[in-house]
Amino acid sequence: MPHTDSQALQALYREHHPWLQGWLRNRLGNSADASDLAQDTFLRVLRARNAASIREPRTCLSAIARALTIDKFRRQDIERAYLGVLAERGEPLDISPEQRLQILQTLTAIDLMLDALGRRTRDIFLAVQLEGLGYAEVGERVGVSVTTVKKHMIRAMTHCLMLTED
């Protein structure tokens, strides 16, 4: 990191960390989560190596923190759903902490991928892939032609393939 960016990051942290932590604590109602997310916010700035170019620090920091907060809630929702499915199973499942983390990371990645598709494409993709409906049935349900269903499926599958290549 260039010396000036390092100094800018230090100044940014010194001047705005207490404010950011308080801002997060007010929104989350939890000091520990606020501290973690404040640190994660500054890590993002550190990785971006753009501290020296930030003109409106509080706007920038709050935008990063807001996105991290949304990610945190999304992960928590996924974990609750996953634990709920495990609880519904009759027999206990022996999963190591590493496997559990890997499963939750995969589920989070799938959730983000589905979210990026857009509502109609996501609904069509899930109806075909999870519910096993045919294109004509999905078209009737959604109120579009089979050709439109095919276009949405191509879009969804292309998106999935592009993500797997990364």
Side-chain angles (χ1 to χ4, degrees):
M1 177 184 307
H3 187 62
T4 57
D5 204 48
S6 175
Q7 290 174 330
L9 181 62
Q10 289 174 15
L12 184 71
Y13 187 88
R14 195 173 39 255
E15 294 171 22
H16 298 285
H17 181 266
W19 167 82
L20 181 62
Q21 195 165 343
W23 185 83
L24 284 163
R25 189 175 42 256
N26 287 338
R27 277 156 184 72
L28 300 171
N30 179 324
S31 294
D33 287 344
S35 292
D36 289 346
L37 287 171
Q39 288 305 111
D40 290 347
T41 300
F42 282 97
L43 278 174
R44 281 261 173 103
V45 174
L46 174 67
R47 286 187 193 122
R49 300 174 189 251
N50 66 346
S53 66
I54 296 174
R55 299 290 168 238
E56 295 188 35
R58 291 188 177 186
T59 301
C60 178
L61 294 171
S62 62
I64 294 168
R66 194 174 294 114
L68 290 170
T69 302
I70 290 167
D71 290 347
K72 177 181 178 52
F73 288 138
R74 174 177 264 155
R75 282 190 309 274
Q76 287 175 339
D77 287 346
I78 291 168
E79 185 168 6
R80 271 193 294 278
Y82 171 69
L83 293 174
V85 168
L86 288 181
E88 290 175 5
R89 294 178 51 100
E91 72 273 0
L93 194 58
D94 187 30
I95 297 176
S96 72
E98 294 82 12
Q99 289 173 314
R100 179 178 173 190
L101 177 63
Q102 187 175 21
I103 290 167
L104 290 172
Q105 288 173 336
T106 301
L107 290 172
T108 301
I110 291 168
D111 181 60
L112 288 170
M113 183 276 305
L114 290 171
D115 194 47
L117 291 176
R119 188 185 56 77
R120 180 171 277 176
T121 302
R122 179 182 57 247
D123 291 348
I124 290 170
F125 180 75
L126 291 175
V128 171
Q129 295 297 315
L130 294 182
E131 296 177 47
L133 298 180
Y135 287 9
E137 293 171 291
V138 174
E140 274 184 45
R141 177 192 282 184
V142 179
V144 297
S145 69
V146 171
T147 302
T148 301
V149 171
K150 288 178 183 178
K151 287 179 184 177
H152 282 282
M153 285 301 294
I154 290 169
R155 184 178 302 139
M157 296 303 266
T158 302
H159 184 72
C160 291
L161 287 171
M162 288 174 30
L163 290 174
T164 59
E165 289 179 2
D166 290 343

